[in-house]
Amino acid sequence: MERRGRTSERSLLLIIEDDANVRESLVDLLAARFDVLAAPDSDAGLELAREHRPDLILLDRFLPGGDGLAVLEMLQRESRTEAVPVIFLTGDADEATLERCLEMGAVDFIHKPASARELLARIDRALRQSEQQRRLQILAQTDGLTGLANFRALTIRLDEEFRRAQRYQYPLSVVIIDLDHLKAINDGMGHDVGNRAILALAAQLKNELRESDFAARFGGDEFVALLPHQTAMEAAVFAERIRTGLRAVGVQKSDGRPAPFGLSVSVGIADHTFEGPREDTESLMKAADAALYEAKREGRDRVVVFGRPTSAPSAQRH
């Protein structure tokens, strides 16, 4: 197994090719422009793909002990590698076989032996297309006001995190945060001020996230945070930092003067744990939403964990 790992901002390519001469020739050619990883068989190639998540894979159509199409199918089954573009390297000129490669999701195929010029041109095109798709996907899954993920992205991520939590038996907490009285702010002060209040909450939320956490704007005044490896009680500490920190944040009116109100949030939390598993993501979200409803019913400006007694906030509202 050859490795020339990512050492710069250059694109990272993975070559899965059993012919040692072809593999070494490709490495030598591509290393001048790209960071390159290389593997001689499907198992080693899949291991490198999962570990490094390359920007593009050059995949031999026929491999010892495995079909290149089977490798492509396995790559597409996993969230870490499903979006990685694959170019097949093939000596097979059969049109039905090549058509099958494209139907399976390969972005291109290259006949062996290929000229350096053709190979580089096809790689460059595939990388450009992949980058364009990535940017469009980010735009499609990003909230325009806050820059956080949107509802669509949240749905995808929640499914992924829930499956991982089930598989590896670690806790996962869902935190639903509602900005109190946004409608009154919008009606009394205008939507510009309301947007500033939303942005203040979004900034406070971003500041508290760990690298493994995920946050999205769920609706107009609601945000959701997913906290892997955190129980509900641990997530409550996270939520309380947001609640108390936001109280110190001021919002300006359209004329630049301070708005005559403070900001507060109501928070509902639920978790999925080995000891207390949830049936699915819907039941987990419903539990967190029920806790949020309880926080609002009890007077807002507080954090409530599903199934735990509620208590008044530790500081007075302003």
Side-chain angles (χ1 to χ4, degrees), residues 164-212:
R164 278 194 287 267
Q166 285 183 312
R167 180 178 180 182
Y168 298 110
Q169 298 184 351
Y170 60 72
L172 170 67
S173 287
V174 168
V175 180
I176 304 181
I177 306 169
D178 184 275
L179 182 62
D180 293 334
H181 310 298
L182 179 61
K183 184 178 186 304
I185 294 172
N186 286 333
D187 292 345
M189 307 293 296
H191 285 271
D192 286 348
V193 178
N195 285 343
R196 292 190 191 102
I198 291 171
L199 287 169
L201 173 53
Q204 198 72 27
L205 175 55
K206 290 176 185 177
N207 287 339
E208 296 296 339
L209 293 174
R210 303 168 302 165
E211 185 176 350
S212 60

Side-chain angles (χ1 to χ4, degrees), residues 6-23:
R6 193 187 298 266
T7 58
S8 67
E9 293 303 313
R10 302 192 304 177
S11 296
L12 177 63
L13 307 188
L14 170 60
I15 301 165
I16 307 176
E17 166 64 61
D18 66 310
D19 188 309
N21 291 328
V22 173
R23 189 170 66 250

